[in-house]
Amino acid sequence: MQEKVSPVPVHVGIIMDGNGRWARQRGQIRTQGHLEGLKAAKRVVKAASDRGLRYLTLYTFSTENWKRTTEEVGFIMGLVKQYLRGELDFYRENHIRIRHAGDIAGLPADIAEEIRRAAEDTLGCDGMQVILALNYGGRDEIVRAVRRLTASGGQAEISEETLSAHLDNPDVPDPDLIIRSAGEFRTSNFLLWEGAYAEYYISPKFWPDWTEEDLARALENFRGRDRRFGGAVTGGAVK
Ligand code: IPE
Ligand code: IPE
Ligand code: MG
């Protein structure tokens, strides 16, 4: 069966990359890049909500990012905490629900608590859902899903459906579009399972420079994609 082409993505994932390079370019320390990256995230969340996106997954900290210095990791965690606290009113006013993807058990207790609180406080919000991928790795998510699936004892049927049902947010539809800033052509372990048929949009701009216009350009570019999901090419000129 031919899948329908969706001109507006329901779910967009963003690999917010290039904070460090943005800072280096200006002779500043890396943490300054993260601070500006947070401002960009706020701009893009607002723009995405205004444009009617239903789900926005923000890759905030990967399972591999622990390799960075204690200072940088601590700074990022502090920013997340500050963000979750400081932006709660904004989220509620805009009916945005906050969720989490990743291994919450591997996060510092205060951050995990802050995430739970933000998720609880916005549970009734029926607008866009922002999924913070924090201590997130696609491989780790699949491993945890398999563990959950098999935890009930050897009876579980292993299928794409049952495994999907044990991912971190099983009710969230697969991403239609994955955006990556800062020009790298790789997934870096983001939404490996869910992104099987996502369209990719790579932008050379560093994340702290991202504005509403950049999101608009990515969405416009997505409109022109021919999503075939493995089906045969139908009609149109051969490109
Ligand atoms: C993305 O920016 C933020 C995180 C991964 C936490 P980077 O910090 O990776 O920036 P670059 O890639 O070093 O420029
Ligand atoms: C991906 O960026 C992770 C986040 C944006 C949170 P990285 O900077 O960690 O990715 P690599 O190391 O360039 O692949
Ligand atoms: Mg990077």
Side-chain angles (χ1 to χ4, degrees):
M1 196 184 71
Q2 183 80 28
E3 298 273 349
K4 268 212 316 271
V5 175
S6 164
V8 180
V10 173
H11 180 182
V12 173
I14 308 184
I15 302 171
M16 307 183 291
D17 197 19
N19 293 352
R21 278 164 280 176
W22 182 94
R24 193 172 61 196
Q25 198 181 49
R26 286 163 176 75
Q28 296 174 359
I29 51 171
R30 292 180 59 81
T31 48
Q32 195 57 33
H34 296 312
L35 201 58
E36 291 301 317
L38 175 64
K39 293 181 192 165
K42 288 185 195 174
R43 288 194 292 271
V44 171
V45 165
K46 178 79 171 77
S49 167
D50 290 348
R51 284 171 174 273
L53 262 63
R54 300 301 304 159
Y55 303 89
L56 182 69
T57 299
L58 298 176
Y59 203 8
T60 310
F61 193 87
S62 76
T63 45
E64 286 72 42
N65 287 150
W66 299 104
K67 290 175 187 162
R68 300 184 181 199
T69 64
T70 320
E71 189 205 3
E72 184 174 348
V73 170
F75 188 86
I76 294 169
M77 292 298 157
L79 272 187
V80 168
K81 196 165 164 178
Q82 180 192 318
Y83 174 71
L84 287 171
R85 288 215 174 150
E87 296 300 302
L88 214 52
D89 285 344
F90 161 81
Y91 276 100
R92 281 196 293 240
E93 277 158 25
N94 289 278
H95 313 285
I96 297 170
R97 180 176 165 195
I98 303 177
R99 301 177 69 167
H100 173 254
D103 185 9
I104 199 153
L107 283 167
D110 59 327
I111 305 291
E113 189 43 44
E114 211 64 55
I115 291 170
R116 283 198 196 95
R117 205 178 55 88
E120 227 173 83
D121 287 355
T122 59
L123 195 59
C125 294
D126 60 0
M128 186 174 78
Q129 302 193 11
V130 169
I131 299 139
L132 290 179
L134 191 70
N135 194 24
Y136 178 86
R139 288 181 172 185
D140 179 65
E141 185 188 21
I142 294 167
V143 168
R144 286 183 295 103
V146 171
R147 279 199 200 122
R148 285 194 284 254
L149 178 56
T150 54
S152 48
Q155 305 305 312
E157 184 208 342
I158 310 281
S159 68
E160 292 194 11
E161 285 70 29
T162 59
L163 202 143
S164 293
H166 288 81
L167 293 171
D168 288 344
N169 295 295
D171 60 303
V172 174
D174 288 345
D176 303 292
L177 172 66
I178 292 179
I179 294 169
R180 182 163 188 149
S181 60
E184 238 70 73
F185 284 71
R186 54 177 173 257
T187 71
S188 301
N189 207 6
F190 186 50
L191 300 180
L192 295 185
W193 178 280
E194 302 89 331
Y197 269 100
E199 296 293 323
Y200 269 79
Y201 178 84
I202 315 286
S203 152
K205 256 196 187 182
F206 296 145
W207 179 249
D209 287 329
W210 264 62
T211 64
E212 180 175 356
E213 286 72 43
D214 295 292
L215 179 71
R217 263 191 287 276
L219 298 182
E220 184 51 36
N221 184 283
F222 175 81
R223 278 163 60 88
R225 304 289 180 94
D226 177 17
R227 303 186 76 193
R228 295 193 286 274
F229 299 94
V233 180
T234 52
V238 177
K239 282 191 263 183

